[in-house]
Protein backbone atom coordinates (compact mmCIF):
# COMPACT_ATOMS: atom_id res chain seq x y z
CA UNK A 1 0.00 0.00 0.00
CA UNK A 2 1.31 3.46 -0.87
CA UNK A 3 0.39 6.71 0.91
CA UNK A 4 0.45 10.23 -0.45
CA UNK A 5 0.96 13.59 1.26
CA UNK A 6 -1.05 16.81 0.82
CA UNK A 7 0.79 17.53 -2.47
CA UNK A 8 -0.21 14.10 -3.83
CA UNK A 9 3.41 12.93 -3.75
CA UNK A 10 4.25 9.44 -2.59
CA UNK A 11 4.86 9.80 1.14
CA UNK A 12 5.47 6.20 2.07
CA UNK A 13 4.32 2.63 1.94
CA UNK A 14 3.30 -0.14 4.30
CA UNK A 15 3.64 -3.89 4.33
CA UNK A 16 2.20 -6.49 6.65
CA UNK A 17 3.69 -9.90 7.30
CA UNK A 18 3.10 -12.64 9.81
CA UNK A 19 4.67 -15.93 10.60
CA UNK A 20 4.95 -18.51 13.31
CA UNK A 21 4.58 -16.62 16.59
CA UNK A 22 4.92 -13.05 15.23
CA UNK A 23 3.17 -10.31 13.33
CA UNK A 24 4.77 -7.26 11.78
CA UNK A 25 3.49 -4.08 10.19
CA UNK A 26 6.17 -1.95 8.61
CA UNK A 27 5.82 1.64 7.39
CA UNK A 28 8.48 3.29 5.28
CA UNK A 29 8.48 7.05 4.81
CA UNK A 30 9.80 9.04 1.87
CA UNK A 31 13.30 10.16 2.86
CA UNK A 32 13.02 13.24 0.63
CA UNK A 33 10.02 14.50 2.62
CA UNK A 34 8.91 14.56 6.20
CA UNK A 35 8.47 11.02 7.42
CA UNK A 36 5.99 10.91 10.28
CA UNK A 37 3.78 7.92 10.90
CA UNK A 38 0.65 8.37 13.01
CA UNK A 39 -1.37 5.53 14.50
CA UNK A 40 -4.72 6.62 15.96
CA UNK A 41 -7.62 4.79 17.56
CA UNK A 42 -10.88 6.62 18.23
CA UNK A 43 -14.57 5.96 18.73
CA UNK A 44 -17.83 7.93 18.93
CA UNK A 45 -17.25 8.91 22.59
CA UNK A 46 -14.26 11.19 21.78
CA UNK A 47 -11.85 8.50 22.97
CA UNK A 48 -8.58 8.93 21.09
CA UNK A 49 -5.19 7.31 21.55
CA UNK A 50 -2.33 8.24 19.24
CA UNK A 51 1.21 7.05 18.63
CA UNK A 52 3.24 9.30 16.35
CA UNK A 53 6.68 8.27 15.07
CA UNK A 54 9.18 10.44 13.23
CA UNK A 55 12.93 10.41 12.76
CA UNK A 56 13.46 12.43 15.95
CA UNK A 57 10.37 11.94 18.15
CA UNK A 58 8.05 9.27 19.50
CA UNK A 59 4.89 10.88 20.85
CA UNK A 60 2.23 9.07 22.86
CA UNK A 61 -1.07 10.88 23.35
CA UNK A 62 -4.21 9.88 25.20
CA UNK A 63 -7.33 11.74 26.22
CA UNK A 64 -9.10 9.10 28.26
CA UNK A 65 -9.31 9.02 32.04
CA UNK A 66 -7.44 5.71 32.10
CA UNK A 67 -3.66 5.61 31.52
CA UNK A 68 -3.47 8.90 29.58
CA UNK A 69 -0.32 9.09 27.48
CA UNK A 70 1.50 6.36 29.32
CA UNK A 71 4.20 4.02 28.09
CA UNK A 72 4.31 0.42 29.22
CA UNK A 73 7.34 -1.76 28.67
CA UNK A 74 6.46 -5.38 29.28
CA UNK A 75 8.38 -8.60 28.90
CA UNK A 76 6.41 -11.63 30.05
CA UNK A 77 9.48 -13.89 30.16
CA UNK A 78 12.21 -11.71 31.65
CA UNK A 79 13.40 -8.25 32.55
CA UNK A 80 11.79 -5.14 31.01
CA UNK A 81 14.31 -2.43 30.19
CA UNK A 82 14.02 1.25 29.33
CA UNK A 83 17.18 1.70 27.28
CA UNK A 84 18.55 5.25 27.02
CA UNK A 85 21.50 5.20 24.61
CA UNK A 86 23.57 8.13 23.40
CA UNK A 87 25.24 6.68 20.32
CA UNK A 88 27.86 9.35 19.73
CA UNK A 89 31.21 8.91 21.46
CA UNK A 90 31.42 11.46 24.28
CA UNK A 91 34.35 13.84 24.10
CA UNK A 92 34.33 14.96 27.73
CA UNK A 93 33.67 13.65 31.21
CA UNK A 94 30.28 14.44 32.78
CA UNK A 95 28.36 14.04 29.52
CA UNK A 96 24.61 13.48 30.00
CA UNK A 97 23.80 10.28 28.10
CA UNK A 98 20.08 10.23 28.84
CA UNK A 99 17.38 12.04 30.82
CA UNK A 100 13.91 11.39 32.12
CA UNK A 101 11.92 14.61 32.57
CA UNK A 102 8.58 15.29 34.21
CA UNK A 103 6.46 18.11 32.76
CA UNK A 104 3.11 19.56 33.75
CA UNK A 105 1.23 22.86 33.71
CA UNK A 106 1.26 25.55 36.38
CA UNK A 107 -1.84 27.47 37.45
CA UNK A 108 -1.26 29.95 34.60
CA UNK A 109 -1.41 27.18 31.99
CA UNK A 110 2.35 27.31 31.27
CA UNK A 111 4.24 24.08 30.59
CA UNK A 112 6.83 23.57 33.34
CA UNK A 113 9.59 20.96 33.75
CA UNK A 114 9.14 19.97 37.41
CA UNK A 115 11.62 17.08 37.67
CA UNK A 116 14.56 15.54 35.83
CA UNK A 117 16.77 12.48 36.27
CA UNK A 118 20.07 12.70 34.36
CA UNK A 119 22.18 9.66 33.54
CA UNK A 120 25.77 10.87 33.27
CA UNK A 121 29.02 9.42 31.90
CA UNK A 122 31.12 10.87 34.75
CA UNK A 123 34.45 9.42 33.58
CA UNK A 124 34.73 8.27 29.94
CA UNK A 125 38.27 6.85 30.20
CA UNK A 126 38.27 3.37 28.62
CA UNK A 127 38.63 0.72 31.31
CA UNK A 128 37.93 3.05 34.26
CA UNK A 129 34.48 4.40 33.29
CA UNK A 130 32.28 5.87 36.03
CA UNK A 131 28.63 6.78 35.91
CA UNK A 132 26.32 8.87 38.06
CA UNK A 133 22.65 9.66 38.36
CA UNK A 134 21.54 13.24 39.14
CA UNK A 135 18.05 13.93 40.50
CA UNK A 136 16.74 17.48 39.97
CA UNK A 137 13.57 19.32 41.02
CA UNK A 138 12.45 22.92 40.82
CA UNK A 139 12.07 25.13 43.88
CA UNK A 140 10.57 28.60 43.50
CA UNK A 141 10.86 28.22 39.73
CA UNK A 142 14.59 27.33 39.64
CA UNK A 143 16.04 23.90 38.84
CA UNK A 144 18.17 22.47 41.66
CA UNK A 145 20.20 19.25 42.03
CA UNK A 146 18.67 17.38 44.98
CA UNK A 147 20.56 14.10 44.97
CA UNK A 148 23.59 12.66 43.18
CA UNK A 149 24.44 8.96 43.19
CA UNK A 150 28.01 8.31 42.03
CA UNK A 151 30.86 5.86 42.73
CA UNK A 152 31.73 7.75 45.93
CA UNK A 153 28.23 7.43 47.41
CA UNK A 154 25.11 9.55 47.70
CA UNK A 155 25.08 13.33 48.09
CA UNK A 156 21.83 15.01 49.11
CA UNK A 157 21.19 18.75 48.89
CA UNK A 158 18.51 20.12 51.20
CA UNK A 159 16.67 18.64 54.14
CA UNK A 160 16.39 14.88 54.63
CA UNK A 161 13.35 13.74 56.62
CA UNK A 162 13.09 10.23 58.03
CA UNK A 163 10.90 8.61 60.69
CA UNK A 164 12.92 5.45 61.29
CA UNK A 165 16.27 3.91 60.44
CA UNK A 166 16.46 0.12 60.56
CA UNK A 167 13.29 0.06 62.67
CA UNK A 168 14.64 2.56 65.23
CA UNK A 169 12.80 5.83 65.71
CA UNK A 170 15.14 8.71 64.84
CA UNK A 171 15.23 11.67 67.22
CA UNK A 172 13.69 14.64 65.42
CA UNK A 173 13.62 12.96 62.03
CA UNK A 174 14.94 15.99 60.07
CA UNK A 175 18.61 16.50 59.12
Amino acid sequence: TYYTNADNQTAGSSTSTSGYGFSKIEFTGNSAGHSTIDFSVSDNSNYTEKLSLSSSLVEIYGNTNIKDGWLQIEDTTGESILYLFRSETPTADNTVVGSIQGYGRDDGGNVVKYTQIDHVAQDITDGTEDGKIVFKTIANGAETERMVVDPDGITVTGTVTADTLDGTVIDGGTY
Side-chain angles (χ1 to χ4, degrees), residues 48-156:
T48 302
E49 299 292 335
K50 176 182 171 184
L51 172 64
S52 180
L53 307 171
S54 70
S55 60
S56 61
L57 175 70
V58 175
E59 178 182 25
I60 301 170
Y61 169 80
N63 70 347
T64 67
N65 59 4
I66 303 171
K67 303 175 187 171
D68 286 349
W70 71 303
L71 172 64
Q72 176 177 330
I73 301 171
E74 180 177 344
D75 184 336
T76 60
T77 61
E79 180 181 12
S80 296
I81 298 172
L82 174 60
Y83 191 85
L84 304 175
F85 179 65
R86 183 172 180 161
S87 61
E88 72 176 355
T89 302
T91 58
D93 289 344
N94 293 308
T95 298
V96 176
V97 296
S99 292
I100 301 172
Q101 300 174 341
Y103 286 83
R105 292 194 184 276
D106 64 14
D107 62 359
N110 303 299
V111 175
V112 176
K113 179 176 67 171
Y114 286 97
T115 60
Q116 180 167 319
I117 303 171
D118 288 337
H119 303 79
V120 180
Q122 184 178 14
D123 178 357
I124 61 170
T125 306
D126 188 20
T128 62
E129 299 90 342
D130 293 324
K132 69 179 175 182
I133 302 173
V134 180
F135 295 83
K136 301 174 182 179
T137 65
I138 61 169
N140 295 317
E143 186 176 77
T144 304
E145 285 187 6
R146 296 296 180 186
M147 183 170 69
V148 176
V149 180
D150 64 21
D152 295 326
I154 301 172
T155 304
V156 178

